[in-house]
């Protein structure tokens, strides 16, 4: 059985206008997407900004209400659970936020920040709680004494580690990482990403990794889904998508990855020109009259593309 | 060696107990000389006022003495007397006590109501916010002074407490608006989302997460409001709609200056009360500024 299954998820926002604020249309932030996560894998959601990838992540964790569709975690529909069951299942899904500055409460010490979920779900004595927090903070590579400091005393990378420690506190099964490194500089990005890979095996985590950076996605993910305007245009194993992209949008994204080798510069330029030409000639094959993608079509066991 | 060990233990102890907020406030006060002086002056005034008010007999002070009308300052009446021959110093002390107590109680009451309603409106947003804000708008468009005057006239048992309740019923709206606006900005930040995903109940997020981040604005607003509320009380008494004349108030004393003769020739009647209002308000404002800095780690001096 799949670990997490998302069926026909839709998140619409009404557009109101006129004197009576009638609904005249909808912003389709997430428009009918379905995918599944297997236990222990890293699934990447990629797309340009505004394509709905963050909305998808926030809907899965319950910060945004889905308009339609179901989210099945180990076979249970999260939207249909009552309050008590939902708070119980909440422990299984945690989130790492994009901005390490606003995601930590500036008025609380690190101890209180990391202990917050413990205080909500487990009754521990202050000593046990402190020991657990110190273990976690050491595990993410910070000094145990730093639990008495405030967030503003840490650097961006360290703050993001505190965020990760907080997400790990309840031993979740799924972690939604919403652009966890896009606010960090490149040297720290690698550090945090490798660390996330290390703890994945240790804590048996499943990641839903949201990013717009294809290099990071390629480094981290086993399978990826490429989103465009709230829909999937291509989905499949990471290798297949990077080596054999089928959809023109994917091709354009991949051709846009900068190449560090100056000798291949001409090659890269040619590739881009080629993709651009193909896009102009054949975009009707990939997008309908409204500019939206077609439904996904399976082309191999592990690869689906949105073409006619 | 032993000294070293003690030192490191001491340091470990210091580290494990982050400075309490009271200590931070104290440190900030000491660094800011103006605030420290204000604090000393204000505490002296309050100590004298509340202390000596215990030994003063209000009935004796407000008793009319026709033999000493408008007596200038003398050994018997340190600050002279008013048109009823009543001792100004005694009225000043009891009046300051009444005015300050009323101002403080109104501030606390409105602060509490405004905080609760503002947090709820800002945090939940949507329909709840809309309903609460429309009610506040309604209260705000009512003519405050006129309604207070009407209430003062129709309330059967009019005393200090009914006065406080009437004032609070109108003055909480500004605070609720301010706190709602700040809460609206604060709840969009990721740490609130994080708390939600960590399973923290709404009331806990409001009180434990958002409220501490609003503390600076609340403290500043409350202190400034304290000064303002003392002013409003004095102003209403000045107009004759505050406390009855049998209950001395700073405003009543100042209102004697409406008589040109008193204003020009009998300074002892109104000048002490005016100066006292000025000094108290200035002190409160300076202290408020220091508190404001203490509440925000980046602005601290100490």
């Amino acid at each position: 059985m799949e670990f997490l299954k998302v069926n026909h998820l839709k998140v619409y926002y009404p557009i109101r206008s006129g004197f009576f604020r009638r609904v005249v249309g909808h912003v389709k932030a997430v428009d009918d997407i379905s995918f599944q996560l297997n236990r222990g894998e890293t699934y990447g959601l990629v797309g340009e900004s505004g394509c709905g990838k963050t909305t998808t992540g926030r809907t899965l964790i319950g910060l945004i209400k889905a308009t339609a569709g179901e989210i099945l975690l180990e076979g249970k529909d999260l939207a249909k659970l009552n309050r008590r069951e939902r708070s119980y299942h909440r422990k299984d899904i945690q989130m790492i936020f994009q901005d390490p500055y606003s995601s930590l409460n500036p008025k609380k010490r690190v101890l209180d920040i990391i202990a917050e979920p413990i205080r909500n779900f487990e009754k521990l004595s202050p000593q046990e709680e402190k020991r657990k927090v110190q273990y976690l903070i050491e595990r993410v590579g910070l000094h145990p004494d730093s639990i008495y400091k405030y967030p503003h005393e840490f650097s961006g990378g360290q703050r993001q580690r505190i965020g990760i420690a907080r997400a790990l506190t309840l031993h979740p099964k799924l972690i939604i990482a919403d652009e966890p490194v896009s606010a960090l500089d490149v040297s720290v990005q690698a550090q945090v990403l490798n660390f996330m890979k290390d703890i994945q095996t240790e804590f048996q985590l499943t990641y839903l990794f949201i990013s717009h950076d294809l290099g990071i996605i390629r480094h981290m993910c086993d399978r990826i889904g490429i989103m465009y305007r709230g829909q999937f245009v291509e989905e499949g194993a990471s290798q297949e998508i990077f080596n054999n992209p089928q959809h023109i949008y994917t091709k354009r994204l991949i051709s846009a990855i900068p190449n560090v080798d100056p000798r291949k510069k001409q090659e890269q330029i040619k590739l881009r020109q080629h993709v651009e030409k193909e896009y102009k000639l054949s975009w009707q094959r990939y997008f309908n009259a409204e500019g939206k993608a077609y439904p996904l079509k399976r082309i191999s066991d592990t690869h689906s593309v949105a073409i006619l | 060696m032993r000294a070293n060990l003690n030192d490191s233990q001491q340091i470990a102890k210091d580290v494990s107990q982050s400075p309490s907020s009271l200590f931070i406030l104290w440190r900030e006060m000491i660094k800011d000389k103006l605030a420290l002086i204000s604090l000393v002056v204000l505490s002296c005034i309050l100590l004298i006022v509340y202390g000596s008010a215990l030994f003063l007999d209000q009935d004796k002070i407000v008793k009319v003495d026709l033999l000493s009308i408008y007596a200038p300052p003398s050994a018997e009446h340190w600050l002279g007397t008013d048109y009823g021959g009543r001792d100004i110093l005694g009225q000043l002390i009891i009046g300051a006590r009444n005015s300050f107590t009323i101002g403080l109680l109104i501030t606390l009451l409105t602060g509490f109501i405004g905080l609760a309603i503002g947090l709820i409106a800002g945090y939940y947003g949507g329909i709840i916010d809309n309903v609460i804000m429309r009610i506040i708008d309604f209260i705000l468009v009512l003519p405050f002074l006129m309604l207070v005057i009407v209430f003062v006239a129709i309330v059967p048992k009019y005393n200090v407490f009914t006065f406080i309740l009437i004032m609070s019923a109108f003055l909480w709206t500004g605070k609720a608006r301010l706190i709602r606006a700040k809460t609206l900005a604060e709840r969009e930040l990721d740490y609130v989302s994080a708390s939600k995903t960590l399973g923290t109940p709404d009331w806990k997020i409001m009180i434990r997460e958002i409220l501490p981040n609003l503390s600076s604005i609340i403290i500043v607003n409350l202190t400034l409001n304290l000064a303002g509320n003392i002013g409003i009380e004095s102003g209403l008494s000045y107009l004759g709609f505050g406390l009855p004349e049998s209950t001395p108030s700073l405003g009543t004393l100042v209102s004697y200056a409406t008589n040109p003769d008193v204003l020009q020739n009998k300074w002892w009647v109104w000048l002490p009360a005016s100066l006292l209002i000025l000094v108290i308000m200035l002190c409160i404002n300076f202290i408020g500024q220091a508190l404001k800095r203490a509440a925000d780690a980046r602005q601290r001096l100490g």
Side-chain angles (χ1 to χ4, degrees), chain B residues 224-252:
Chain B
L224 296 180
N225 257 288
L226 175 59
N229 287 339
I230 294 173
I232 290 180
E233 190 278 329
S234 305
L236 276 171
S237 299
Y238 174 87
L239 292 175
F241 298 104
L243 299 176
E245 211 179 301
S246 58
T247 322
S249 144
L250 293 179
T252 319

Side-chain angles (χ1 to χ4, degrees), chain A residues 58 61 63 90 93-95 97-99 102-109 116-117 119-121 145 148 150 152 166 170, chain B residues 15-19 189-202 204 208-210 212-213 215 295-297:
Chain A
R58 289 191 171 233
I61 203 168
L63 285 173
R90 213 165 231 180
I93 309 181
Q94 287 299 322
M95 188 156 183
F97 289 87
Q98 175 174 8
D99 181 5
S102 75
S103 63
L104 303 178
N105 190 340
K107 293 274 171 177
K108 288 169 80 181
R109 293 178 302 171
E116 188 183 335
R119 288 170 192 166
N120 285 333
F121 287 103
D145 279 349
Y148 298 113
Y150 285 88
H152 68 90
R166 174 175 63 185
L170 291 172
Chain B
V15 169
S16 70
Q17 289 170 337
S18 62
L189 294 177
D190 271 344
Y191 73 83
V192 176
S193 306
S195 280
K196 282 184 193 164
T197 65
L198 295 169
T200 311
D202 286 341
K204 238 184 190 170
R208 296 261 187 83
E209 307 284 325
I210 296 178
N213 283 295
S215 60
D296 184 352

Side-chain angles (χ1 to χ4, degrees), chain B residues 85-96:
Chain B
R86 291 169 291 201
D87 185 33
I88 295 287
L89 183 66
Q91 288 195 65
L92 190 69
I93 287 170
I94 295 194

Side-chain angles (χ1 to χ4, degrees), chain A residues 66-213:
Chain A
T67 312
E70 48 186 9
I71 303 161
L72 303 163
L73 182 75
E74 291 177 318
K76 285 204 179 91
D77 190 348
L78 291 182
K80 291 208 180 78
L81 295 175
N82 63 32
R83 247 187 134 153
R84 208 150 139 219
E85 285 174 318
R86 193 158 51 225
S87 83
Y88 179 76
H89 280 281
R90 213 165 231 180
K91 286 166 71 172
D92 294 339
I93 309 181
Q94 287 299 322
M95 188 156 183
I96 300 172
F97 289 87
Q98 175 174 8
D99 181 5
Y101 293 90
S102 75
S103 63
L104 303 178
N105 190 340
K107 293 274 171 177
K108 288 169 80 181
R109 293 178 302 171
V110 172
L111 172 66
D112 300 316
I113 291 172
I114 296 179
E116 188 183 335
I118 305 179
R119 288 170 192 166
N120 285 333
F121 287 103
E122 294 164 42
K123 297 271 175 288
L124 292 184
S125 72
Q127 281 81 28
E128 285 174 317
E129 183 187 286
K130 193 176 135 188
R131 219 172 295 134
K132 190 163 180 186
V133 172
Q134 268 177 336
Y135 163 74
L136 281 162
I137 207 82
E138 255 180 298
R139 198 58 208 78
V140 298
L142 297 175
H143 195 266
D145 279 349
S146 41
I147 59 169
Y148 298 113
K149 290 186 182 167
Y150 285 88
H152 68 90
E153 298 172 58
F154 295 93
S155 71
Q158 286 172 321
R159 282 162 165 254
Q160 199 56 301
R161 283 152 184 266
I162 295 170
I164 294 173
R166 174 175 63 185
L168 289 176
T169 316
L170 291 172
H171 300 293
K173 294 169 185 159
L174 169 67
I175 286 190
I176 297 170
D178 184 4
E179 311 216 14
V181 293
S182 62
L184 308 174
D185 52 279
V186 181
S187 58
V188 185
Q189 283 189 357
Q191 219 181 61
V192 172
L193 289 175
N194 287 333
F195 167 69
M196 283 177 69
K197 273 196 153 176
D198 290 345
I199 56 171
Q200 181 165 30
T201 40
E202 188 183 327
F203 290 85
Q204 289 156 7
L205 298 168
T206 310
Y207 283 131
L208 178 69
F209 200 94
I210 299 167
S211 180
H212 58 253
D213 187 329

Side-chain angles (χ1 to χ4, degrees), chain A residues 7 30 55 70 180 284:
Chain A
N7 284 333
V30 176
T55 311
E70 48 186 9
Q284 274 168 326

Side-chain angles (χ1 to χ4, degrees), chain B residues 73-108:
Chain B
S74 63
E76 195 192 347
H77 300 290
W78 288 4
L79 285 174
T81 58
D82 65 1
Y83 72 95
R86 291 169 291 201
D87 185 33
I88 295 287
L89 183 66
Q91 288 195 65
L92 190 69
I93 287 170
I94 295 194
R97 186 197 64 178
N98 289 342
S99 295
F100 191 84
T101 311
I102 290 170
L104 190 69
L105 285 178
I106 293 176
T107 310
L108 291 179

